[in-house]
Amino acid sequence: MANPQLHPLEVNSLTGEPFLRLRNHKQIIITPPRPEDVVLYPAIMNDPRIYQWLGSPPFPYTSDHAEEWYQKTKTLSNGALEKLDAARDAPDPILLNDCPIRNIRELKEDGSDVLLGDIGIFRVADGKFLVPHGEDINEETKARYKAANDTLPLGDPDIAWTVGYYIIPDYHGQGIMTDALQTLLWDWAVPRMGVRYITGTAFEGNLGSLRVFQKNGFVPSGFFENHIQTRGQWRNLHVVEWKRSYNKPPWGS
């Protein structure tokens, strides 16, 4: 019998792998990371059409980086799934601090699938984005506000979450990432993580990412000049925010 705590995830009847199907692109699913993804990561992350918009992944991106990323994300996924399994007899759905799924894939007619990208929702890791407007941003204030956010209990509406994502260039412009964020946000993050407030970021010039945010109800909340130096270039950063109180599920409550 399927674990009711997995809802709204489906389960692959052949592999037992949980997945979330996108609302508007039924052939696209989000799954946990897989070992076979590791060899695919370097080619994706070394594509200039992707890495120019990402601030944290190293460049050039090596097989060691890929293995490290896989182990990190797989550990988080396994941890979430273990908590869901331990709570299978609980009368109500439990809240989680993590999402067990993040790798975006396209299902093919022959039953195979293709890795398209990644999407993750997690607590804000950089205290810079938590310091209130008008207050000095320094190492002390960043650390203090991050620690305060980290200690808020699950379900607290004041927790500041963030989201990061990418999709391979051949699939740009098809509305897939807009759908992926919308589905993950409303089907998992809100009901299963208690998400009520999310920040998002995009480098200046990343119009595609800004459109994804806008279509999902995010609004501008800040702009940092010379936020970070990547590959020898200083980058400006847009900051956007989403509040549950201002948004409704696009398919009804």
Side-chain angles (χ1 to χ4, degrees):
M1 179 180 175
N3 180 3
Q5 287 288 342
L6 289 173
H7 181 78
L9 304 184
E10 301 177 52
V11 176
N12 186 306
S13 61
L14 297 178
T15 65
E17 181 183 63
F19 65 90
L20 183 66
R21 190 183 305 274
L22 299 199
R23 288 274 185 157
N24 300 313
H25 296 76
K26 299 298 186 181
Q27 80 283 13
I28 307 296
I29 61 175
I30 311 176
T31 79
R34 300 173 186 166
E36 57 266 31
D37 295 333
V38 175
V39 297
L40 303 176
Y41 290 153
I44 294 174
M45 302 307 292
N46 286 317
D47 187 324
R49 296 170 294 178
I50 291 181
Y51 73 64
Q52 69 172 321
W53 303 122
L54 301 178
S56 55
F59 179 82
Y61 196 89
T62 68
S63 57
D64 288 341
H65 295 138
E67 180 64 30
E68 182 180 357
W69 176 250
Y70 167 74
Q71 293 297 337
K72 177 182 178 179
T73 56
K74 187 62 174 176
T75 297
L76 292 174
S77 174
N78 286 347
L81 290 172
E82 288 169 2
K83 290 176 182 176
L84 292 172
D85 186 62
R88 65 167 49 242
D89 295 325
D92 300 306
I94 64 169
L95 288 178
L96 293 174
N97 199 55
D98 298 298
C99 184
I101 54 169
R102 66 177 302 146
N103 286 30
I104 305 169
R105 308 181 195 275
E106 180 184 33
L107 296 172
K108 296 297 186 179
E109 291 184 359
D110 63 1
S112 63
D113 56 48
V114 178
L115 180 66
L116 303 186
D118 175 279
I119 182 168
I121 294 177
F122 41 90
R123 295 198 191 204
V124 172
D126 188 343
K128 178 178 184 177
F129 302 113
L130 300 172
V131 179
H133 292 293
E135 189 168 339
D136 288 340
I137 297 177
N138 53 54
E139 295 305 314
E140 188 276 328
T141 56
K142 289 192 293 185
R144 174 158 48 89
Y145 281 102
K146 180 183 183 302
N149 192 58
D150 287 345
T151 57
L152 291 175
L154 276 174
D156 192 313
D158 292 330
I159 296 174
W161 304 85
T162 191
V163 59
Y165 53 75
Y166 71 82
I167 192 168
I168 60 176
D170 287 348
Y171 288 79
H172 287 180
Q174 299 181 33
I176 294 173
M177 189 53 73
T178 297
D179 192 11
L181 177 53
Q182 183 181 88
T183 303
L184 187 64
L185 177 58
W186 288 106
D187 282 357
W188 185 267
V190 169
R192 302 310 310 268
M193 296 170 71
V195 169
R196 296 297 180 268
Y197 175 75
I198 306 181
T199 65
T201 60
F203 283 140
E204 185 177 29
N206 190 352
L207 300 181
S209 188
L210 289 173
R211 282 195 295 268
V212 168
F213 284 130
Q214 182 182 33
K215 291 177 180 178
N216 276 287
F218 286 73
V219 297
S221 64
F223 183 78
F224 290 102
E225 293 185 353
N226 298 326
H227 166 68
I228 192 173
Q229 190 174 33
T230 62
R231 292 167 285 280
Q233 177 184 4
W234 281 101
R235 309 293 298 275
N236 299 333
L237 190 74
H238 291 279
V239 183
V240 296
E241 66 179 13
W242 179 96
K243 295 182 180 181
R244 173 65 180 89
S245 57
Y246 296 163
N247 290 274
K248 296 181 180 180
W251 42 77
S253 58

